[in-house]
Amino acid sequence: MPKMKTSRAAAKRFKVTGTGKLKRNKAYKRHILTKKTTKNKRKLRKPAMTDATNVKNMKKILPYL
């Protein structure tokens, strides 16, 4: 059986925590920041966990993480 290929784009965007959950960054933090509130921008800094409905598909494209 050949090795599975890791999606390099996904490997750069997601990290696996110690308990096996997938950690991701939040969207809407790149541009047009002047109209966003400071509180909102501060909340966008923190990482988020990937939703449980997407984890099965994410594990397929990230087999060795």
Side-chain angles (χ1 to χ4, degrees):
M1 192 72 182
K3 287 188 202 176
M4 291 175 68
K5 284 206 170 183
T6 299
S7 167
R8 298 313 297 156
K12 291 170 188 173
R13 288 174 172 84
F14 299 94
K15 300 283 181 250
V16 179
T17 63
T19 56
K21 294 179 183 176
L22 288 171
K23 189 167 70 169
R24 64 172 177 84
N25 289 323
K26 292 183 181 172
Y28 307 112
K29 184 65 172 78
R30 294 291 173 228
H31 61 94
I32 314 175
L33 298 173
T34 52
K35 60 175 74 169
K36 293 176 181 126
T37 63
T38 310
K39 183 178 179 181
N40 191 16
K41 288 184 279 190
R42 189 167 55 245
K43 283 184 178 180
L44 292 173
R45 265 186 234 149
K46 295 186 177 182
M49 294 298 151
T50 304
D51 190 61
T53 56
N54 297 323
V55 170
K56 186 179 175 185
N57 289 329
M58 295 305 299
K59 294 282 185 180
K60 282 182 186 174
I61 61 174
L62 298 168
Y64 303 108
L65 287 186

